[in-house]
Amino acid sequence: TQLLEQSPQFLSIQEGENLTVYCNSSSVFSSLQWYRQEPGEGPVLLVTVVTGGEVKKLKRLTFQFGDARKDSSLHITAAQPGDTGLYLCAPNFGNEKLTFGTGTRLTIIP
Amino acid sequence: DTGVSQNPRHKITKRGQNVTFRCDPISEHNRLYWYRQTLGQGPEFLTYFQNEAQLEKSRLLSDRFSAERPKGSFSTLEIQRTEQGDSAMYLCASSLFPGELFFGEGSRLTVL
């Protein structure tokens, strides 16, 4: 059984600050997706990382895939109120289904 | 709009009634997934189709739940004899490649 942990569970920061959220697994995964979900909506795919050590940038968001392929992080620079949402990581353990973490609920205070 | 479409968006029903949700995936996507999400949790996998074949079912999917994808296009998820514990958001997703899921807006079920 793969254990998946996202931290922190909740994060509330002021607009303009930087933040990092984490996704850790007890098992190696072949790839990982990050999603953002707003209340009452389905998750929206942000990025897929597939190579250990990979870093991907999406405007103010930087995604990193750990060298050991068991962890990932998402760093947001100069957070804006529009970044508010539930950030979910979803590692792929080599099968068709994605296993989602419980997410980090991020609130950006204007 | 060519995204994943789900309906109804909201359903309120009494315990013991049957409900059915429909999902229309992105047209060229051959993979279709159903997930369930309760408050404060991430989505939990229910079942997966490749074309019309149901290839995997979670143990969460009790005998009261059935999903179909008769022609490899739209899918339905039926819950029979609903219970209060079935109250959740039911999410459908489709994909062309393994792992990169595109979700619909979900169908929220409330069982009274």
Side-chain angles (χ1 to χ4, degrees):
Chain A
T1 304
Q2 304 97 354
L3 295 176
L4 187 63
E5 183 179 1
Q6 285 193 248
S7 61
Q9 259 192 300
F10 301 94
L11 184 58
S12 184
I13 64 170
Q14 293 288 136
E15 181 177 0
E17 294 184 352
N18 302 334
L19 67 109
T20 303
V21 299
Y22 301 92
C23 175
N24 292 282
S25 170
S26 59
S27 303
V28 173
F29 37 86
S30 56
S31 65
L32 178 139
Q33 283 81 38
W34 282 93
Y35 290 80
R36 180 171 66 212
Q37 185 177 24
E38 299 187 18
E41 304 291 331
V44 174
L45 178 65
L46 295 175
V47 77
T48 300
V49 286
V50 297
T51 306
E54 181 177 5
V55 177
K56 277 192 175 178
K57 291 195 173 184
L58 189 67
K59 297 182 180 178
R60 295 176 294 100
L61 277 60
T62 302
F63 303 87
Q64 186 155 5
F65 195 4
D67 291 337
R69 309 172 70 88
K70 295 174 70 174
D71 61 279
S72 181
S73 64
L74 159 59
H75 181 79
I76 301 179
T77 303
Q80 298 177 0
D83 296 328
T84 292
L86 178 67
Y87 287 81
L88 295 158
C89 71
N92 189 305
F93 294 104
N95 52 30
E96 284 283 351
K97 68 184 186 188
L98 289 185
T99 301
F100 284 86
T102 53
T104 293
R105 190 164 298 281
L106 176 64
T107 303
I108 308 301
I109 303 166
Chain B
D1 184 82
T2 56
V4 177
S5 175
Q6 291 189 247
N7 65 80
R9 291 291 312 277
H10 299 94
K11 178 73 176 178
I12 300 173
T13 191
K14 292 183 178 179
R15 189 176 54 186
Q17 298 294 304
N18 300 342
V19 297
T20 299
F21 300 113
R22 176 179 169 125
C23 172
D24 288 90
I26 295 171
S27 58
E28 63 267 27
H29 287 183
N30 60 347
R31 292 170 166 83
L32 187 147
Y33 306 78
W34 285 99
Y35 281 79
R36 180 172 69 187
Q37 187 175 26
T38 53
L39 202 61
Q41 300 296 317
E44 295 174 294
F45 172 81
L46 292 179
T47 190
Y48 152 67
F49 292 84
Q50 189 161 341
N51 300 311
E52 65 274 11
Q54 188 174 19
L55 297 185
E56 192 169 350
K57 286 174 63 172
S58 165
R59 293 175 189 173
L60 293 174
L61 220 61
S62 75
D63 291 344
R64 297 184 296 105
F65 288 70
S66 62
E68 294 183 343
R69 194 182 182 197
K71 298 182 180 178
S73 57
F74 74 91
S75 175
T76 58
L77 176 69
E78 182 183 15
I79 308 173
Q80 295 181 324
R81 304 181 303 282
T82 52
E83 302 173 356
Q84 288 183 323
D86 297 331
S87 294
M89 174 79 92
Y90 289 85
L91 293 162
C92 176
S94 68
S95 73
L96 191 56
F97 303 107
E100 292 196 347
L101 273 55
F102 292 85
F103 282 87
E105 294 178 315
S107 293
R108 180 166 295 282
L109 174 66
T110 301
V111 181
L112 302 176

